[in-house]
Amino acid sequence: MNILQNIRGHIVSTDKGMSPLWVKTVRHGKYVYMNMATTLPSPLTTHVLNIAQGVPGANMTIILYLLDPISSVWNLLTTGITNDDGRCPGLIKKDSFIAGVYKLRFETGKYWDALGEMCFYPYVEVVFNITDPSQKYHIPLILSRFSYSTYRGS
């Protein structure tokens, strides 16, 4: 079986004439179907890396806020938990991603507590300005118990 035949066997159209494609994948030994419309990549991504232990920062709570420019109040947009790879897919949908000032709050204290470690920073807040929401933004967090760093990736 060539690669194209293998891929064709995993992509199927919906049964009721709907437009989104569904992807057949294996999870826990069973075939499941995922709607690609709901799994489209977020225009804003993050990745947590625990450099103290050389592993991804799995199971860390991340909270995304948008600053109201009139009231200067942070509005909660979404909350997520990093996966085994330290990523938090689906933070925000493209149609909800607008220009503005955003804040990602990483619950680092709870993360280190779960590992049985103490840390200096109970949380990390990264505030950033989005001027062109058509671009893709990647905001990784590189951390140890006593330091952290971030940058704008792509």
Side-chain angles (χ1 to χ4, degrees), residues 67-89:
L67 183 65
D68 183 307
I70 297 169
S71 67
S72 295
V73 171
W74 290 106
N75 293 311
L76 173 68
L77 296 179
T78 189
T79 300
I81 298 175
T82 56
N83 61 19
D84 290 343
D85 193 34
R87 298 177 188 275
C88 190

Side-chain angles (χ1 to χ4, degrees), residues 12 23 27 30 34 36 44 50 73 76 98 120 139-140:
V12 296
V23 174
R27 286 210 179 144
K30 297 180 182 178
M34 298 184 338
M36 289 302 289
L44 175 64
N50 173 343
V73 171
L76 173 68
I98 61 173
F120 186 69
I139 315 280

Side-chain angles (χ1 to χ4, degrees), residues 6-81:
N6 190 31
I7 292 171
R8 188 176 298 130
H10 290 276
I11 300 177
V12 296
S13 63
T14 60
D15 57 350
K16 295 185 179 173
M18 299 171 69
S19 59
L21 290 178
W22 292 74
V23 174
K24 181 171 71 173
T25 186
V26 177
R27 286 210 179 144
H28 306 292
K30 297 180 182 178
Y31 281 108
V32 294
Y33 293 90
M34 298 184 338
N35 184 339
M36 289 302 289
T38 61
T39 58
L40 292 175
S42 173
L44 175 64
T45 58
T46 189
H47 190 193
V48 179
L49 298 168
N50 173 343
I51 61 169
Q53 299 174 346
V55 297
N59 299 312
M60 182 183 294
T61 299
I62 299 175
I63 307 165
L64 178 64
Y65 298 90
L66 176 63
L67 183 65
D68 183 307
I70 297 169
S71 67
S72 295
V73 171
W74 290 106
N75 293 311
L76 173 68
L77 296 179
T78 189
T79 300
I81 298 175

Side-chain angles (χ1 to χ4, degrees), residues 71-124:
S71 67
S72 295
V73 171
W74 290 106
N75 293 311
L76 173 68
L77 296 179
T78 189
T79 300
I81 298 175
T82 56
N83 61 19
D84 290 343
D85 193 34
R87 298 177 188 275
C88 190
L91 276 174
I92 190 168
K93 293 180 181 177
K94 189 172 185 168
D95 59 352
S96 301
F97 194 53
I98 61 173
V101 178
Y102 289 80
K103 175 171 62 175
L104 275 173
R105 179 180 168 118
F106 298 85
E107 296 294 339
T108 55
K110 293 176 184 176
Y111 168 78
W112 289 111
D113 283 346
L115 295 176
E117 303 273 351
M118 293 186 62
C119 71
F120 186 69
Y121 299 101
Y123 58 87
V124 171

